[in-house]
Amino acid sequence: MRLLLLVLMMVFAGPALAQTATPSQVLDAAVNKVIRPAVAAFKTRASGLESAMGGLCAAPSEGALAIARQQFGLAAQAYGRIEFLRIGPLMEDNRADRLLFWPDRRGIGLRQVQAIIAEQDSGASEVTLLRQKSVAVQGFGALEYVLFGTDAEGLAAAGAEFRCRYGQAIAANISGIADQVAMGWYRYDGVASHLTRPVPDNADYRTETEALEALVGLVAHGIEGLRDTRINPFVAQGGEPAKPKQALFWRSGLTMAMIAADIEGMEALVAGSGMARAVGPDDAGLDNSIAFEFRNAHRAIGLVTLPVEQAVVDEKQAHALDYLIIVTQSLQTMIGEQLSAALELSVGFSSLDGD
């Protein structure tokens, strides 16, 4: 059935196949139509989170806590759409790890966060001091525990002032990093201009081929990382039982929303840049094939509607998670190997195995 759908998609995809893109157009669209708007959106959501935490600490209530939790989800998902952009501003000053320290399989970050709250460490309630602490205690993972972890309901009333101030400092730190990431992508002679106007004198991207290789690699590595660090660790595999508490954001119920945001971000870069339309006639169907597989990923995610600890033991939803793993493997092959080959880029690279 899946093969039949793929064939039908190819047959009726004539108008789309007629569209092509040059490397220059791909690079310009990637930066100006996809990446810059996405980092600007993250900056806006992070600012909303900072404001919501400020409101909660100033006047604790059930409503203020609900707003803070909602803004946490919006900001985290906005970050999910750009977290695969591991070049330029996000990779400077440990920003990616400071925003989200993950995976944390030994629970090191969790223990540090719990200790800060238990000891009321004043060095964590001021953003300037918080930035000097472990990356594990100053980003989304730490804030999720503050807002959704043990005794978090106390934030809705007086008596949890330190916990709230710590959360407020984390939110301010996230907002500050979001500002820096956005400014980095708009900076004159920064990564954006190097990607869109590669020249031999650049230290990073000297040719359009190198710039395209970076963009395609971001998606291929992003898909690989999503599967290996966000899905595989908590689903049942190889006779091993499911481990739902190994899932990112299981406390807040945002595990699948975050996975969806990751997929959306990478899909937007592929579709919006037209990178899969910058190929020769023999590979003209690749763009539609990749789009088709992204839609399969969304369908699988949409089937997982229960909290993750229930989804992994529900036959239908556990099957959807297994299928999502297969789809991400297919997407990685299509983008990291087939598209790379079609664009005459380096193939077979992996950011996670050190190659």
Side-chain angles (χ1 to χ4, degrees):
M1 177 59 75
R2 191 173 169 196
L3 179 60
L4 176 60
L5 289 173
L6 182 60
V7 171
L8 290 172
M9 179 195 68
M10 297 292 293
V11 169
F12 292 107
L17 296 181
Q19 300 172 2
T20 59
T22 67
S24 178
Q25 289 172 329
V26 169
L27 295 168
D28 182 77
V31 169
N32 292 304
K33 294 184 179 179
V34 182
I35 296 175
R36 280 177 163 171
V39 297
F42 173 48
K43 170 180 158 66
T44 300
R45 290 302 189 188
S47 178
L49 173 61
E50 182 181 11
S51 296
M53 285 303 302
L56 174 63
C57 296
S61 69
E62 295 286 349
L65 178 57
I67 291 172
R69 286 174 166 174
Q70 178 192 46
Q71 292 300 316
F72 171 85
L74 293 173
Q77 290 170 74
Y79 178 58
R81 295 184 187 97
I82 69 163
E83 66 172 320
F84 72 101
L85 297 174
R86 291 180 175 254
I87 56 174
L90 193 57
M91 299 310 292
E92 299 168 2
D93 197 23
N94 287 329
R95 287 173 188 147
D97 286 336
R98 290 167 60 207
L99 283 169
L100 180 56
F101 178 73
W102 192 264
D104 182 19
R105 296 189 179 94
R106 295 182 179 179
I108 295 172
L110 173 62
R111 289 196 293 274
Q112 292 176 345
V113 171
Q114 290 171 326
I116 285 173
I117 294 173
E119 297 167 8
Q120 301 203 0
D121 179 356
S122 59
S125 59
E126 296 289 340
V127 66
T128 54
L129 299 176
L130 178 64
R131 288 171 180 158
Q132 300 172 25
K133 289 187 171 293
S134 162
V135 296
V137 304
Q138 53 179 286
F140 282 107
L143 187 54
E144 193 218 17
Y145 186 83
V146 169
L147 287 171
F148 299 90
T150 304
D151 298 328
E153 296 299 331
L155 290 168
E161 287 81 3
F162 173 79
R163 185 175 186 134
C164 201
R165 289 201 307 274
Y166 174 39
Q168 190 176 6
I170 297 172
N173 186 52
I174 290 171
S175 183
I177 296 173
D179 284 348
Q180 293 165 339
V181 171
M183 286 191 295
W185 276 101
Y186 281 90
R187 185 173 60 211
Y188 174 75
D189 198 31
V191 63
S193 62
H194 286 200
L195 277 172
T196 54
R197 294 187 296 279
V199 294
D201 289 341
N202 286 348
D204 42 16
Y205 311 114
R206 294 166 296 182
T207 66
E208 288 183 336
T209 297
E210 289 184 358
L212 274 177
E213 203 166 77
L215 287 182
V216 174
L218 286 174
V219 183
H221 297 160
I223 291 287
E224 180 185 28
L226 174 66
R227 183 184 64 250
D228 291 350
T229 69
R230 300 292 173 81
I231 308 171
N232 277 336
F234 73 86
V235 299
Q237 292 187 84
E240 293 293 322
K243 301 174 182 175
K245 292 190 177 179
Q246 291 290 319
L248 176 68
F249 294 161
W250 63 269
R251 291 181 181 83
S252 56
L254 291 169
T255 299
M256 298 310 297
M258 195 68 174
I259 291 173
D262 284 313
I263 291 289
E264 289 166 6
M266 291 182 277
E267 180 183 22
L269 184 60
V270 173
S273 70
M275 64 172 66
R277 297 193 294 277
V279 298
D282 290 345
D283 298 296
L286 194 52
D287 186 42
N288 281 297
S289 298
I290 292 171
F292 178 72
E293 206 67 308
F294 270 121
R295 289 196 293 275
N296 283 333
H298 286 301
R299 276 193 283 270
I301 292 169
L303 290 172
V304 185
T305 56
L306 292 170
V308 66
E309 64 269 24
Q310 298 174 31
V312 293
V313 294
D314 178 271
E315 183 177 359
K316 182 178 179 181
Q317 299 196 19
H319 180 70
L321 287 166
D322 291 339
Y323 180 62
L324 182 58
I325 291 173
I326 294 172
V327 170
T328 56
Q329 289 169 335
S330 175
L331 277 170
Q332 185 184 349
T333 299
M334 283 183 175
I335 296 168
E337 297 181 16
Q338 296 173 16
L339 178 58
S340 291
L343 294 171
E344 300 183 349
L345 308 176
S346 295
V347 297
F349 43 73
S350 171
S351 64
L352 300 181
D353 63 13
D355 291 346

